[in-house]
Amino acid sequence: MQLLAELPDLWDVKMDSETTDCAPSRFAPEGSHEPVISFVKSITGRPVVGVGRFTSPDAMVGQIRRGVLDLIGGARPSIADPFLPKKVGEGREEDIRECIGCNICISSWHDCVPVRCTQNPTIGEEWRRQWHPERVPAAPHAATVLVVGGGPAGLECALTLGRRGYEVMLAEAADELGGRLRFETRLPRLATWSRVLDWRRSQLQRLGNVTMYPGNRLTADEILELHPAHVVAATGSRWVPLLYTPLEVPSGTLLGPNVFTPDDIAAGTRLEDPVVVFDFDNYYMGSALAEHLAGTGHHVSYATPSGLVSAWSIMTNEQPQTYRALADAGVGVHTLTRVESFEGDEVTLVNVFTSARTRLPCRALVIVGARLPEDALYRELTTRREELVAAGVASITRIGDALAPGAIAHAVYSGHRHGRELDASDAERALRRDAPVRTVIHAPTSA
Ligand code: SF4
């Protein structure tokens, strides 16, 4: 290393492996590269640049002042907010849309699909949809929009509509805004994700044309009485205790007094020990719930048909650390197994390849598999078309999980897109293409 110390013009320090270099916030704090970067800095007189998912100006300045590095690098922070340096320069720290460290952006890279970001729905759409990260088109005319649901999709939609100049009413059934974030950010290691809510709520509070109504569970009748020009249903989704066959065909719903979903845990339902978490969602919820339940004193086992714990989270660089987290929490792991039966005090797991059976004592089976849209309000309203017309409602639209349950990033994107495209013309919604589209007309062939 000493031999190389002065050779490069600049040192750009990378960590040992991708899961630690681009570590998720679940398993590494901001600035986690400091020990490695400071070592490089100690052996060279050349400038050193480093990353570390910096979002706080204090953390950035602190590392420079302490001589850890010379230049701040920021990939994920710049994806979440391309105007971060400008906002720091202008003293507008409260406007920074901070990266939450979820690594959905990195999953796009692993999947070779256009980049998506939980915090910044415009990323990857700057050219194709002409979405500027900071600017939105003005509403073509004045109108009142009622957004029902204050989760990630509803918050982002209300913010985008408010910035466009619409009069926005944001109604939320619970006493607090946040939707799924209210519970999920209380799970182990997910507190940083509350920035999705915190940033949007603080931005909304500055808009005089947006009024928030937490603690208001609106009925269809009440919505008609409000006479909004547009209704947006951002009513989220619900987990269902669905099981499926070895061919991944849904095989029915498992109902019983000791069968639960993440929604039951969120509602504070008390579980009897031992607990088995059966996860075929394969993202963070199953392992985070297992860790949460173990952390609150439960005896917990985790089972999944996949060969890996939280298999899909390999895309977000979370998966290897998830194993360690479950081991540290004392959670027993059973991979390549699916639930065959549950008798109320014992669950039978069957190996997906060998059909070998494992019986585990179980007084609470938590199924983390599928979600369905929570769209009853939307469906009721769409059956009352004449009343909608009489009330002056021109449109009713589902967004986010109420349309298609997905990751938080998808809900934010859905809310942003509807906020942008309300009242837009077909031409304004059209995608730009970087390759010409040729229409091929086949001449009729003679018989
Ligand atoms: S997707 Fe998540 S980790 Fe990536 S930049 Fe956005 S907020 Fe940060």
Side-chain angles (χ1 to χ4, degrees):
M1 194 79 188
Q2 292 285 358
L3 294 174
L4 294 171
E6 305 303 326
L7 280 180
D9 293 328
L10 174 139
W11 280 91
D12 183 356
V13 184
K14 179 174 166 51
M15 296 273 278
D16 50 357
S17 74
E18 192 189 310
T19 48
T20 48
D21 189 55
C22 298
S25 60
R26 281 175 78 187
F27 299 106
E30 178 180 6
S32 63
H33 295 202
E34 179 169 335
V36 174
I37 299 170
S38 57
F39 162 72
V40 175
K41 177 77 179 149
S42 72
I43 59 150
T44 181
R46 300 293 194 187
V48 174
V49 60
V51 292
R53 199 175 51 75
F54 293 114
T55 54
S56 149
D58 289 342
M60 300 178 207
V61 171
Q63 286 215 345
I64 289 176
R65 287 219 173 117
R66 287 185 290 111
V68 176
L69 41 60
D70 302 294
L71 295 161
I72 294 291
R76 286 174 289 173
S78 301
I79 293 172
D81 193 336
F83 286 78
L84 187 151
K86 183 173 169 63
K87 290 175 182 176
V88 171
E90 293 174 353
R92 295 167 49 214
E93 285 87 357
E94 70 282 2
D95 286 338
I96 296 171
R97 197 169 40 221
E98 288 183 272
C99 168
I100 67 167
C102 62
N103 282 359
I104 282 291
C105 52
I106 290 168
S107 77
S108 315
W109 173 52
H110 285 154
D111 264 341
C112 298
V113 296
V115 64
R116 287 283 173 264
C117 170
T118 302
Q119 280 286 60
N120 177 10
T122 69
I123 195 79
E125 299 290 14
E126 299 88 342
W127 186 83
R128 189 176 73 145
R129 292 191 190 275
Q130 299 282 285
W131 287 359
H132 189 283
E134 298 288 303
R135 294 196 286 270
V136 290
H141 50 76
T144 301
V145 185
L146 171 64
V147 179
V148 184
L155 288 165
E156 177 65 25
C157 189
L159 180 58
T160 309
L161 291 167
R163 286 178 164 172
R164 293 186 63 195
Y166 288 99
E167 269 313 305
V168 181
M169 296 178 283
L170 174 59
E172 164 58 46
D175 290 338
E176 292 172 49
L177 296 172
R180 60 190 282 189
L181 294 166
R182 286 196 313 277
F183 172 61
E184 294 186 15
T185 56
R186 295 203 311 271
L187 291 172
R189 309 169 192 276
L190 288 175
T192 306
W193 292 19
S194 63
R195 290 172 179 173
V196 175
L197 165 62
D198 296 341
W199 182 80
R200 285 168 180 80
R201 184 172 47 200
S202 70
Q203 297 289 311
L204 282 164
Q205 282 166 346
R206 293 198 225 155
L207 295 176
N209 54 330
V210 177
T211 312
M212 294 179 270
Y213 300 97
N216 270 282
R217 183 179 293 279
L218 293 179
T219 64
D221 287 336
E222 289 166 338
I223 289 172
L224 292 168
E225 285 169 18
L226 287 170
H227 301 285
H230 303 281
V231 178
V232 183
T235 40
S237 63
R238 66 185 183 282
W239 292 92
V240 286
L242 195 70
L243 294 179
Y244 69 96
T245 71
L247 295 176
E248 300 192 354
V249 177
S251 60
T253 305
L254 183 64
L255 297 174
N258 295 350
V259 178
F260 304 96
T261 70
D263 292 332
D264 295 313
I265 317 299
T269 304
R270 295 177 68 86
L271 306 185
E272 285 183 59
D273 276 344
V275 179
V276 173
V277 175
F278 179 52
D279 176 21
F280 58 96
D281 172 63
N282 293 334
Y283 191 16
Y284 58 88
M285 180 56 81
S287 58
L289 258 191
E291 197 183 349
H292 164 71
L293 291 169
T296 51
H298 287 284
H299 181 276
V300 184
S301 297
Y302 170 97
T304 178
S306 168
L308 298 170
V309 165
S310 293
W312 190 82
S313 69
I314 194 107
M315 296 293 184
T316 51
N317 292 354
E318 293 167 294
Q319 200 274 329
Q321 294 99 316
T322 304
Y323 264 111
R324 196 177 311 141
L326 291 188
D328 290 348
V331 175
V333 170
H334 302 265
T335 55
L336 296 176
T337 58
R338 62 183 179 83
V339 169
E340 185 179 59
S341 63
F342 177 50
E343 310 302 336
D345 57 3
E346 183 181 80
V347 65
T348 301
L349 305 176
V350 59
N351 185 284
V352 295
F353 291 127
T354 68
S355 299
R357 286 174 173 74
T358 304
R359 291 184 174 81
L360 296 178
C362 174
R363 296 287 300 165
L365 176 62
V366 183
I367 299 179
V368 186
R371 285 181 290 147
L372 294 177
E374 195 69 87
D375 58 359
L377 182 66
Y378 167 84
R379 290 182 182 279
E380 181 183 347
L381 282 169
T382 53
T383 63
R384 300 172 65 172
R385 291 201 178 280
E386 288 177 10
E387 291 169 87
L388 287 172
V389 171
V393 178
S395 75
I396 169 162
T397 310
R398 275 178 298 181
I399 62 169
D401 286 347
L403 173 65
I408 298 168
H410 304 132
V412 170
Y413 182 92
S414 171
H416 188 84
R417 182 175 174 188
H418 186 64
R420 285 243 182 201
E421 295 187 344
L422 186 68
D423 290 326
S425 66
D426 288 346
E428 288 166 326
R429 293 181 194 188
L431 294 177
R432 293 175 81 194
R433 298 175 187 274
D434 55 6
V437 178
R438 284 182 57 202
T439 305
V440 179
I441 302 171
H442 294 284
T445 53
S446 51

